[in-house]
Amino acid sequence: MNNSINAQNISKTFGERKVLDDISFEISKGEIFGLLGPSGAGKTTLIKILTGQLKPESGCSFINEINSGELKGKDYCGFGIMMDNFGLYERLNCFENLKVFARLYGIKNESIHQALKEVGLSNAEKTAVSKLSKGMTNRLRLARAIMTDPDIIFLDEPTSGLDPATSVEIQNLIVDMKNEGKTIFLTTHNMAEAEKLCDHIAMLNEGKIVEYGAPQEICRRYHHQKKLLIHLTDGSDMEIAHNTASGDTVCDLLKNGKIETIHSTEPNLETVFMELTGKELAV
């Protein structure tokens, strides 16, 4: 099997709300897979099912060919999880926080030092968590996820709420992990981030996968969204379809010297998602 993760017909309901509805996909080894959707779409629930923290009502999933529902202690060293709701001990420093979990995993202090180095926190080993910025706290959560040197890493909204510069730093770390051969399962509602990082994505809306594929592939499927944006010399703007039928209009405007600027717009993951769901994703 060349798949790190395999989900088959997973469904999950909380009360009367169906959070996941017949979800299926496969993730190949060494790829970055993005699960995209708004807050409350079921992204975190799916991670918890894949990692054995929750049981689905129907369907099953496998990590490295192990059924998620049958994961045991030793299996958890094969993957790492970074989630915003995974607590850290604020009074302890960075090293002490990771040491708590290192004991559970049975790994040595050297692995802690290495993980902190990889996320750029070597100089903050003795800094209390309460004194860390949000970006540094996210790095510490990431260090916790990678200190067992796992094959698969689950990252749940890793750049949510971060400033652009810190987001780029986290994104660069994700790319570095992929280059090391690790499989990354990334959840995000940031379409630009997904387009930049992911080999394949699945768009999740109201519990269903509404689109799947490589980001550029998906955008090409929606080329009917292409537009021409024209700014006229009188200060007004025009938006027309990007097709042969618009040729005469553009030609007439050019002949009469009425065009100041003209640009084409291409579909992106955000506009595709809006077409499919009628919703805009807030970042």
Side-chain angles (χ1 to χ4, degrees):
M1 182 184 285
N2 192 38
N3 297 319
S4 288
I5 302 172
N6 189 313
Q8 301 174 5
N9 309 109
I10 291 177
S11 294
K12 181 67 177 177
T13 303
F14 291 114
E16 297 182 356
R17 181 173 170 241
K18 197 155 199 174
V19 179
L20 299 172
D21 188 1
D22 199 31
I23 300 295
S24 297
F25 57 84
E26 295 178 350
I27 302 175
S28 299
K29 292 179 180 178
E31 77 165 304
I32 300 177
F33 173 85
L35 184 65
L36 280 60
S39 298
K43 304 188 298 296
T44 302
T45 298
L46 184 55
I47 284 185
K48 289 182 176 180
I49 289 172
L50 294 173
T51 55
Q53 300 174 65
L54 277 177
K55 292 190 179 297
E57 265 107 43
S58 59
C60 59
S61 60
F62 298 84
I63 293 184
N64 286 335
E65 301 184 49
I66 301 170
N67 190 309
S68 299
E70 298 173 2
L71 289 169
K72 299 176 182 177
K74 60 181 177 60
D75 300 322
Y76 283 90
C77 289
F79 61 87
I81 313 172
M82 174 187 174
M83 302 181 80
D84 192 48
N85 62 355
F86 274 17
L88 295 169
Y89 300 99
E90 293 203 350
R91 294 185 181 181
L92 300 183
N93 63 37
C94 293
F95 180 85
E96 291 166 341
N97 260 278
L98 296 193
K99 191 171 181 179
V100 171
F101 301 103
R103 287 177 178 172
L104 296 174
Y105 297 135
I107 61 177
K108 298 179 180 178
N109 288 351
E110 287 78 5
S111 297
I112 301 175
H113 294 300
Q114 181 60 30
L116 290 170
K117 180 180 178 182
E118 287 185 26
V119 301
L121 287 179
S122 289
N123 294 331
E125 281 197 4
K126 296 183 178 179
T127 302
V129 169
S130 61
K131 296 183 179 179
L132 299 179
S133 66
K134 182 170 175 57
M136 293 175 77
T137 301
N138 272 22
R139 286 168 179 263
L140 183 58
R141 288 194 174 98
L142 183 56
R144 174 182 164 183
I146 66 174
M147 69 179 177
T148 60
D149 193 25
D151 299 322
I152 303 170
I153 302 169
F154 292 89
L155 304 176
D156 191 18
E157 304 274 5
T159 61
S160 179
L162 300 183
D163 64 84
T166 305
S167 293
V168 169
E169 290 174 359
I170 297 289
Q171 291 166 3
N172 289 339
L173 289 171
I174 293 170
V175 172
D176 289 343
M177 290 188 290
K178 179 196 170 176
N179 292 337
E180 292 170 6
K182 299 184 185 302
T183 304
I184 313 294
F185 185 106
L186 171 73
T187 75
T188 182
H189 56 262
N190 186 329
M191 296 293 182
E193 178 174 84
E195 199 160 351
K196 174 182 176 181
L197 296 177
C198 298
D199 298 293
H200 293 92
I201 64 162
M203 291 184 175
L204 188 66
N205 183 58
E206 296 181 356
K208 290 182 176 290
I209 291 178
V210 294
E211 187 58 275
Y212 172 86
Q216 309 244 342
E217 237 173 51
I218 291 174
C219 291
R220 282 195 292 269
R221 287 178 210 152
Y222 293 81
H223 264 352
H224 59 269
Q225 290 187 0
K226 290 172 69 176
K227 302 286 184 184
L228 288 174
L229 301 179
I230 303 172
H231 183 69
L232 301 176
T233 53
D234 64 5
S236 62
D237 294 301
M238 289 180 65
E239 181 179 285
I240 59 177
H242 190 308
N243 56 33
T244 54
S246 299
D248 289 342
T249 301
V250 174
C251 188
D252 287 343
L253 290 169
L254 284 170
K255 283 180 180 178
N256 293 306
K258 293 184 177 181
I259 293 180
E260 187 169 308
T261 62
I262 182 168
H263 301 281
S264 66
T265 64
E266 311 297 328
N268 56 37
L269 294 180
E270 183 79 30
T271 58
V272 169
F273 188 86
M274 287 179 65
E275 178 174 325
L276 289 168
T277 67
K279 299 174 184 175
E280 185 172 356
L281 284 176
V283 178

